[in-house]
């Protein structure tokens, strides 16, 4: 028996490869299919099933492409409705995989079709559960994403309670829990950095599983939920209806464009110039009106939160060698319309004598000396801001930045910071593109500022 977790940090997402006796299954695959196909080919195995725990909202799954390339059967839980061929498992249905059995346990609550897959080993022992977004390490899935008709988030939270207590908690304590996400995902609020655990530990330490009553559970699970990212609904739709083949998306986006061709393509298509270099490199020089979302951070979720239209044409500026990775990461969250990338990176733009822009950055120490000479803008989440912030700072959370653009004059000096520097450069690039020219990015964010004499509350 082979069980392998394939964890993708920028999405905080876990996919799973299971194999027995030359037969393999993949659970909740990412959109690029090559890693799963390569594993099966290396082991001389055939991918028989692609199990989906639910209609994912935070990424586009690879189920459709993987099934087409391997002949595997796509399996969803009861009540799922798709526009492509798939098998809708009945609650308790058993799927044979070599000497293993995989049992579909319908566990609605996060979504109505949510299903947990119980793996039974060759000796008939319950070995592991693949819980999707039903049960995380330290948390459970948020129940506010699949509200339909007369259903409320309280109704779904109640369903989740029943699912956990009827289907999962009765299982043995040594059963291993393999969730779809870990810390950093917006699909929960209290997820651990650990990506697997025993069910027994979760029964003891997971706040949601320790709730004594359904009412207590509902209150605990709904308390403190943040607004879901705008792209979630569109990704869920793509996972339900299907999407363009990943190979076609990659071929279109992986087109090298000279500075002249890049400029012409942007003007012709109205493409957004997305610069994915590290924040310090971007600050020193970039194409005017470019938006910076660095590949080194939570790239895909921030793209999804800040670019509202999945069909938006995107022209990429990357570090040399990262072009293909940028196209791939965009496709993971449904942004399939990359039109190409700047050949040779930003230096080729400079060498061509094209117009460039820059953003001033200062250390926290230099900011302390300049403090009081402008408006301090903190782009962290409201809950982060509430814990501690620079005295008299304004809170313009990055995901709602556009709602605050009228709160300052474009000529006023803005000192922008976040927790460590990633989000502040994203915000600075957006503000710069909106006509705010008097900007200063504070390097190191609040973590560095707290070590200076700048007063905080």
């Amino acid at each position: 028996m082979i069980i392998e977790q394939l964890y993708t940090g920028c999405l905080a997402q876990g996919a799973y490869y299971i194999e027995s006796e030359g037969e393999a299954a993949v659970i909740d695959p990412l959109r690029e299919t090559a890693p799963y196909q390569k594993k099966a080919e290396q082991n001389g195995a055939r991918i028989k099933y692609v199990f989906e725990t639910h209609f994912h909202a935070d990424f586009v799954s690879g189920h459709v492409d993987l099934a087409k390339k391997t002949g595997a059967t796509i399996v969803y839980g009861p009540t799922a409705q798709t526009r492509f061929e798939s098998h809708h498992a009945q609650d308790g249905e058993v799927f044979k995989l070599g000497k293993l059995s995989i049992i579909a346990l319908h566990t609605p609550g996060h979504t109505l079709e949510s299903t947990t897959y119980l793996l039974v080993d060759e000796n008939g022992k319950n070995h592991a559960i693949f819980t999707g977004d039903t049960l995380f390490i330290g948390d459970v899935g948020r129940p506010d994403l699949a509200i339909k008709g007369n259903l409320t988030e309280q109704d779904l939270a109640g369903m989740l309670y029943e699912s956990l207590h009827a289907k999962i908690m009765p299982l043995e304590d040594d059963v291993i829990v393999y969730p779809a996400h870990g810390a950093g995902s917006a699909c929960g609020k209290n997820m651990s950095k650990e990506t697997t655990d025993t069910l027994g530990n979760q029964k003891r330490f997971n706040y949601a599983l320790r709730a004594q009553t359904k009412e207590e559970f509902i209150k605990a699970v709904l308390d403190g939920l943040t607004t879901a990212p705008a792209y979630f609904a569109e990704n869920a739709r793509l996972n339900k209806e299907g999407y363009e083949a990943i190979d076609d998306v990659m071929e279109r986006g992986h087109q090298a464009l000279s500075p002249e061709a890049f400029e012409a393509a942007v003007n012709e298509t109205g493409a957004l110039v997305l610069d994915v270099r590290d924040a310090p490199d971007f600050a020193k020089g970039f194409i005017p009106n470019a938006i910076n979302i660095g590949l080194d951070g939570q790239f895909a979720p921030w793209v999804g939160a800040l670019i509202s239209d999945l069909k938006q044409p995107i022209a990429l500026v990357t570090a040399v060698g990262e072009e293909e990775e940028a196209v791939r990461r965009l496709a993971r969250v449904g942004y399939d319309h990359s039109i190409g990338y700047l050949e040779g990176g930003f230096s080729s733009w400079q060498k061509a004598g094209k117009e460039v822009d820059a953003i001033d950055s200062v250390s926290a120490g230099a900011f302390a000396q300049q403090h009081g000479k402008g408006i301090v803008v903190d782009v962290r989440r409201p809950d982060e801001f509430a814990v501690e912030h620079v005295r008299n700072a304004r809170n313009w959370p990055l995901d709602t930045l556009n709602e605050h653009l009228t709160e300052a004059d474009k000529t006023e000096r803005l000192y922008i910071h976040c927790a460590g520097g990633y989000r502040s450069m994203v915000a600075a690039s957006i503000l710069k593109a909106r006509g705010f020219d008097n900007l200063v990015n504070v390097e190191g964010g609040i973590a560095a500022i707290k070590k200076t004499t700048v007063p905080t509350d």
Side-chain angles (χ1 to χ4, degrees):
M1 175 174 66
I2 296 173
I3 301 175
E4 186 171 350
Q5 182 185 68
L6 293 87
Y7 199 79
T8 303
C10 67
L11 285 172
Q13 190 269 346
Y16 298 91
Y17 176 88
I18 307 167
E19 184 188 314
S20 174
E21 299 291 303
E23 294 185 336
V26 181
I27 299 179
D28 293 340
L30 284 185
R31 193 166 179 187
E32 57 268 28
T33 62
Y36 316 110
Q37 291 177 273
K38 184 176 181 180
K39 286 185 180 299
E41 290 169 3
Q42 287 175 338
N43 296 347
R46 175 179 69 89
I47 297 178
K48 184 178 181 181
Y49 296 114
V50 179
F51 291 103
E52 290 284 348
T53 56
H54 64 294
F55 292 123
H56 303 283
D58 58 313
F59 69 97
V60 179
S61 184
H63 54 316
V64 176
D65 278 344
L66 190 55
K68 287 179 180 178
K69 291 180 178 181
T70 65
T73 299
I74 300 172
V75 180
Y76 273 98
T79 76
Q81 296 181 353
T82 64
R83 292 192 180 178
F84 46 83
E85 185 176 350
S86 61
H87 178 84
H88 302 162
Q90 297 301 306
D91 187 26
E93 186 171 348
V94 179
F95 299 84
K96 301 300 292 184
L97 191 76
K99 292 183 178 180
L100 309 177
S101 296
I102 296 176
I103 304 174
L105 305 178
H106 188 207
T107 49
H110 174 66
T111 65
L112 292 175
E113 78 286 347
S114 285
T115 297
T116 293
Y117 296 101
L118 170 63
L119 176 64
V120 181
D121 69 19
E122 60 185 81
N123 298 315
K125 184 181 184 301
N126 294 334
H127 180 79
I129 45 175
F130 300 86
T131 55
D133 288 17
T134 293
L135 175 63
F136 298 126
I137 308 306
D139 203 357
V140 293
R142 55 191 297 170
D144 62 328
L145 300 182
I147 298 171
K148 296 179 180 179
N150 295 324
L151 284 176
T152 66
E153 58 186 26
Q154 286 79 12
D155 294 329
L156 285 164
M159 290 182 193
L160 185 55
Y161 175 88
E162 296 292 349
S163 294
L164 290 165
H165 282 260
K167 302 289 181 65
I168 291 179
M169 291 186 70
L171 296 171
E172 300 87 343
D173 284 359
D174 63 351
V175 167
I176 302 169
V177 179
Y178 290 114
H181 294 292
S185 168
C187 295
K189 61 181 181 180
N190 193 49
M191 283 179 269
S192 169
K193 292 181 180 179
E194 301 299 321
T195 61
T196 185
D197 195 8
T198 63
L199 182 57
N201 278 342
Q202 288 306 296
K203 291 176 184 178
R204 286 189 290 273
F205 301 117
N206 189 316
Y207 79 94
L209 299 189
R210 293 175 61 188
Q212 297 299 306
T213 66
K214 181 188 288 189
E215 290 71 25
E216 182 182 335
F217 175 90
I218 293 172
K219 183 177 185 300
V221 169
L222 294 181
D223 183 51
L225 287 179
T226 58
T227 302
Y231 75 101
F232 269 27
E234 282 300 295
N235 275 203
R237 180 186 62 79
L238 289 171
N239 284 322
K240 186 180 299 185
E241 297 179 359
Y243 43 74
E244 186 177 2
I246 185 65
D247 293 343
D248 295 340
V249 174
M250 294 300 298
E251 183 178 356
R252 180 171 58 243
H254 200 232
Q255 298 291 324
L257 301 172
S258 68
E260 292 72 22
F262 186 92
E263 186 173 39
V266 169
N267 291 333
E268 181 180 342
T269 64
L272 169 72
V273 178
L274 181 61
D275 192 321
V276 303
R277 293 175 296 151
D278 293 347
D281 292 333
F282 178 83
K284 294 173 186 175
F286 55 88
I287 296 173
N289 297 319
I291 303 301
N292 175 238
I293 306 178
L295 277 179
D296 63 334
Q298 287 192 303
F299 174 73
W302 278 119
V303 166
L306 297 172
I307 303 177
S308 59
D309 184 6
L310 265 65
K311 296 182 179 180
Q312 168 68 51
I314 294 174
L316 287 163
V317 180
T318 78
V320 175
E322 293 186 342
E323 303 87 359
E324 185 175 354
E325 180 67 11
V327 178
R328 182 182 296 110
R329 290 202 194 180
L330 286 170
R332 284 176 180 168
V333 284
Y335 291 83
D336 291 354
H337 296 276
S338 299
I339 63 171
Y341 63 89
L342 180 60
E343 186 174 19
F346 181 68
S347 63
S348 70
W349 184 268
Q350 292 176 299
K351 291 174 183 176
K354 301 290 187 181
E355 183 181 359
V356 300
D357 207 341
I359 290 174
D360 290 336
S361 288
V362 298
S363 67
F367 168 64
Q369 296 177 348
Q370 300 173 31
H371 184 236
K373 297 181 180 180
I375 297 170
V376 179
V377 175
D378 186 331
V379 299
R380 295 176 299 155
R381 299 187 311 269
D383 61 314
E384 295 174 280
F385 184 83
V387 172
E388 185 176 17
H389 57 266
V390 173
R391 187 171 298 165
N392 298 322
R394 301 184 185 182
N395 187 208
W396 296 2
L398 178 56
D399 57 347
T400 59
L401 185 64
N402 287 330
E403 299 174 11
H404 299 276
L405 299 185
T406 60
E407 296 177 18
D409 189 282
K410 291 184 177 180
T411 62
E412 292 182 278
R413 192 165 184 79
L414 302 182
Y415 289 91
I416 305 167
H417 79 85
C418 59
Y422 181 87
R423 286 175 286 178
S424 62
M425 189 57 69
V426 178
S429 70
I430 294 172
L431 290 168
K432 191 81 169 177
R434 299 290 189 274
F436 289 82
D437 290 321
N438 199 358
L439 301 173
V440 179
N441 176 64
V442 182
E443 299 170 349
I446 193 70
I449 293 171
K450 289 194 296 183
K451 297 176 182 177
T452 71
T453 58
V454 174
T456 60
D457 291 323

